[in-house]
Amino acid sequence: EVQLVESGGGLVQPGGSLRLACAASGFAFSVVAMNWVRQAPGQELEWVAYITASSSGTAYADSVKGRFTISRDNAKNTLYLELNALKTEDTAMYYCQLGGLPGTVGGSRGQGTQVTVSS
């Protein structure tokens, strides 16, 4: 059974930083590309970042490029998203997503972790 468990969200002031983690189990994590997606209240799911299975390639949505960094530790079956220079518009539930090409939403996701950016 695929399990994805996100953590690390919280309340942060504009300009602040957070590091999200996604613990994966139930599948061969080290051979699968992964994505982060997010959903703001009343909005559709939005793709955020992509990483290949070997970490050889990454891609980012224009809205987060230069501020967010996706990474993974295949030995720990864990996906990460470092969020820097946070803006109020980054407020959303963040989900890790199994597989998929850059820019796509869909596929298995965890329960999400809430990121709230507010002064």
Side-chain angles (χ1 to χ4, degrees), residues 62-95:
D62 287 343
S63 58
V64 307
K65 198 172 296 182
R67 300 188 298 120
F68 291 8
T69 303
I70 189 171
S71 62
R72 64 194 295 164
D73 185 335
N74 286 345
K76 295 182 178 179
N77 283 3
T78 303
L79 178 72
Y80 302 100
L81 185 68
E82 185 170 345
L83 292 67
N84 295 311
L86 281 161
K87 305 176 181 179
T88 55
E89 52 263 44
D90 294 318
T91 294
M93 187 72 79
Y94 283 72
Y95 304 89

Side-chain angles (χ1 to χ4, degrees), residues 15 29 34 37-38 45-48 50 59 64 66 68 80 82-83 100:
F29 178 79
M34 297 291 293
V37 299
R38 67 185 181 184
L45 274 172
E46 175 190 17
W47 172 75
V48 175
Y50 163 93
V64 307
F68 291 8
Y80 302 100
E82 185 170 345
L83 292 67

Side-chain angles (χ1 to χ4, degrees), residues 20-38:
L20 308 184
C22 170
S25 61
F27 64 99
F29 178 79
S30 63
V31 300
V32 179
M34 297 291 293
N35 287 273
W36 284 97
V37 299
R38 67 185 181 184

Side-chain angles (χ1 to χ4, degrees), residues 1-5 23-29 77:
E1 178 188 1
V2 170
Q3 285 200 330
L4 299 166
V5 180
S25 61
F27 64 99
F29 178 79
N77 283 3

